[in-house]
Amino acid sequence: MELNQKLVNKYILEGQFGLEKESLRVSEDGFLSHIAHPFFDIPQIDRDFCENQIEIITGVHDSVEGVYEELTELHNTAVKRLYHLKSGKEYVWNFSNPPYVKNEGDIPVAKFSGKLKGKEIYRKYLSKKYGKKKMLYSGIHFNFSFSEDYLQTAFENSTLRDFTEFKNQLYLNLAQKVVRHGWLIVYLTAASPLMDGSFIDYERLGEDVLSPYASGRCSEIGYWNDFVPILKYDNLGTYIDSIQEYVDLKQIRSASELYYPVRLKPKGENTLENLRETEVNHIELRNIDLNPLSDIGLKKEDVAFLHLLLVYLNLLENKKFEDFEQVMAIKNIKNAAKFNDDMITIETKWNESQKIKTLTLQILNDMEAVFQKIDGEKTKDILAYQKNKVLNRRERYAAKIMHTFEGGYVKQGLRMAEEYAKKQG
């Protein structure tokens, strides 16, 4: 895709943003809530896997500031509602790893009725296949689409004659680049080095555990299928067919069971059928931890960075995503989730690798050079914030959290949640 610099500068940073945040509801003593979901009158706050896991879903915004502001408002609404429950105070748990877990009965599958009963049946299927505890992992999903002005301008400067085909291929190319670089997202946002012992063994309840992972949910013990998906990115049809094949082989029940770092989504109902009949509407990034260093579980600086990363990756040269590279990419993501970054290497080619800190700085420096040409100094601070995590060991979220919460993971987490709830009134 060849674009002159003037057109890039005019439209490339425009887009639409959406955020989804999963969080567990916990009681004052640090255990998972056992009351029914109390937010049926607020459609933006729904349940995820279990009855005590809420999912906050923002609307679509045309700026990072706008989507972050709505997420903050919805989070604060949840905090206030839970703090004043008649059945007893509860809190929004701002960690990807859960608090105390007594047993399997502590994790009630979300209940649905009527036309939505299939959602409950599907969750029961997942609990049997993957185990309930793994479904307690919580995180952030970042949704993004380029502006129509940018897409139209890019199309007019391309060799394709059909706009829909061009748009689909742009997102397909972007998706494979995001998978290749998924390790970078995990490395810079991993924020779950601590867990309660009950997450490993119910008998160890109340024991603080420093895991070998900066992000458990993105690591080898995290949220993955029992196979590495190999997807076909040649066109939207082959991409959909490659996912459908896993359904036909009964390796997964539906596309929503494909635990992959990226999803391409249509407008409206998120099904392969709808995607095939319409077009790609936006891309979703799924490998972002909740960050307890933020009152709402997410730093605005990271949302801004994810936006820049997608813009940057979109401008990189398009390459075929070979099968072995797809396997290598998932391996890199799991490696990036480890705590000791001095020991992490990222495979860049067959039998070639680089230290993760070295490669991260190379990419951030290249991003600085690219955005210097696009918007001058405006995005420099966003990239400097990420670079500081690499250059200063104690600025990496996992390291900060280890020192902040060590010696009282659940107790200190509850204390911070209560302090914040009181401020909300």
Side-chain angles (χ1 to χ4, degrees):
M1 180 171 58
E2 296 293 334
L3 293 177
N4 67 54
Q5 194 63 49
K6 184 177 180 180
L7 291 176
V8 168
N9 291 355
K10 188 173 183 179
Y11 298 124
I12 191 66
L13 292 177
E14 294 179 357
Q16 293 187 308
F17 306 82
L19 290 168
E20 302 165 43
K21 184 171 84 75
E22 306 156 347
S23 301
L24 293 166
R25 292 189 290 115
V26 301
S27 61
E28 288 184 281
D29 52 5
F31 290 95
L32 297 173
S33 170
H34 280 275
I35 70 164
H37 177 68
F39 296 100
F40 287 109
D41 57 333
I42 307 176
Q44 300 97 324
I45 305 178
D46 203 349
R47 290 154 294 169
D48 203 304
F49 171 76
C50 47
E51 194 72 15
N52 47 30
Q53 185 180 43
I54 62 174
E55 182 177 34
I56 296 175
I57 306 168
T58 73
V60 180
H61 295 262
D62 59 8
S63 70
V64 167
E65 290 74 17
V67 75
Y68 192 82
E69 181 178 340
E70 186 188 1
L71 182 67
T72 302
E73 290 175 356
L74 289 169
H75 174 87
N76 291 344
T77 297
V79 167
K80 285 186 280 189
R81 173 74 65 88
L82 294 176
Y83 192 63
H84 294 288
L85 285 177
K86 293 181 180 179
S87 56
K89 294 176 183 177
E90 289 185 5
Y91 304 115
V92 175
W93 187 246
N94 262 350
F95 297 78
S96 281
N97 296 335
Y100 303 136
V101 186
K102 294 178 183 177
N103 48 48
E104 290 285 296
D106 230 11
I107 313 168
V109 171
K111 296 178 180 179
F112 296 88
S113 59
K115 294 181 180 179
L116 299 177
K117 189 65 177 179
K119 297 177 74 172
E120 182 179 340
I121 295 171
Y122 175 63
R123 282 159 171 74
K124 289 180 177 179
Y125 154 77
L126 294 177
S127 68
K128 291 179 180 178
K129 185 172 180 179
Y130 299 96
K132 285 185 175 181
K133 278 204 292 189
K134 185 168 287 190
M135 313 308 280
L136 290 176
Y137 281 125
S138 300
I140 301 285
H141 297 173
F142 173 77
N143 298 282
F144 175 76
S145 61
F146 289 101
S147 71
E148 286 301 308
D149 283 337
Y150 171 73
L151 292 170
Q152 189 62 46
T153 301
F155 169 64
E156 291 170 359
N157 284 267
S158 75
T159 58
L160 294 179
R161 296 184 177 182
D162 182 85
F163 177 71
T164 299
E165 179 187 355
F166 169 81
K167 181 179 179 181
N168 289 338
Q169 197 59 51
L170 181 145
Y171 282 114
L172 283 164
N173 292 336
L174 178 58
Q176 58 181 296
K177 293 172 189 173
V178 173
V179 177
R180 286 179 188 269
H181 293 81
W183 62 266
L184 179 70
I185 297 171
V186 171
Y187 179 52
L188 293 175
T189 62
S192 50
L194 293 171
M195 62 179 66
D196 186 71
S198 58
F199 195 44
I200 302 169
D201 181 344
Y202 296 129
E203 298 297 321
R204 297 175 64 181
L205 191 148
E207 175 187 339
D208 280 356
V209 175
L210 174 60
S211 82
Y213 307 107
S215 170
R217 65 188 286 274
C218 295
S219 75
E220 58 194 358
I221 65 167
Y223 230 133
W224 300 98
N225 299 110
D226 55 7
F227 61 93
V228 176
I230 303 298
L231 305 183
K232 305 299 181 185
Y233 292 89
D234 303 297
N235 56 62
L236 186 59
T238 61
Y239 176 81
I240 293 171
D241 289 343
S242 64
I243 297 175
Q244 183 63 46
E245 186 175 352
Y246 290 110
V247 178
D248 295 341
L249 292 171
K250 300 188 184 305
Q251 290 182 270
I252 55 176
R253 180 170 287 193
S254 66
S256 60
E257 193 189 336
L258 192 70
Y259 299 133
Y260 205 60
V262 177
R263 285 182 182 169
L264 294 177
K265 290 190 168 183
K267 190 172 184 178
E269 187 179 9
N270 180 33
T271 64
L272 291 181
E273 293 76 14
N274 188 30
L275 183 60
R276 192 188 297 274
E277 292 172 4
T278 55
E279 62 185 13
V280 178
N281 181 69
H282 64 275
I283 188 169
E284 178 187 54
L285 311 187
R286 302 171 54 82
N287 51 346
I288 306 150
D289 272 358
L290 288 180
N291 187 346
L293 299 172
S294 162
D295 288 332
I296 69 166
L298 177 66
K299 294 278 191 180
K300 184 164 69 173
E301 292 89 343
D302 291 326
V303 183
F305 171 72
L306 292 172
H307 172 214
L308 295 188
L309 180 64
L310 290 179
V311 172
Y312 168 76
L313 294 178
N314 177 58
L315 294 174
L316 294 182
E317 178 185 357
N318 298 321
K319 299 178 182 178
K320 185 172 177 60
F321 203 12
E322 302 289 354
D323 292 359
F324 82 91
E325 292 178 305
Q326 296 190 43
V327 174
M328 187 169 69
I330 299 302
K331 180 182 177 183
N332 283 338
I333 290 173
K334 293 176 181 179
N335 276 339
K338 295 176 180 176
F339 183 82
N340 187 355
D341 58 353
D342 284 333
M343 303 299 291
I344 301 174
T345 57
I346 298 300
E347 294 184 42
T348 53
K349 295 179 181 178
W350 187 262
N351 285 332
E352 290 186 22
S353 62
Q354 282 187 271
K355 290 185 175 181
I356 194 168
K357 290 192 282 190
T358 302
L359 190 54
T360 299
L361 289 174
Q362 288 178 4
I363 293 172
L364 293 176
N365 286 336
D366 192 41
M367 289 179 69
E368 280 186 345
V370 169
F371 287 103
Q372 174 68 30
K373 296 176 181 178
I374 293 175
D375 72 345
E377 299 290 318
K378 295 179 182 178
T379 57
K380 192 171 183 179
D381 288 346
I382 298 171
L383 298 174
Y385 179 84
Q386 302 300 327
K387 189 180 291 188
N388 192 40
K389 298 176 189 176
V390 187
L391 296 174
N392 301 290
R393 181 186 300 274
R394 295 179 71 91
E395 292 302 311
R396 192 178 174 210
Y397 293 149
K400 277 189 171 184
I401 290 164
M402 183 188 71
H403 292 293
T404 302
F405 295 95
E406 191 175 26
Y409 165 60
V410 176
K411 290 181 180 179
Q412 291 196 52
L414 287 171
R415 177 183 56 76
M416 290 179 68
E418 181 178 24
E419 288 177 357
Y420 187 71
K422 288 179 177 179
K423 290 179 183 178
Q424 302 312 306

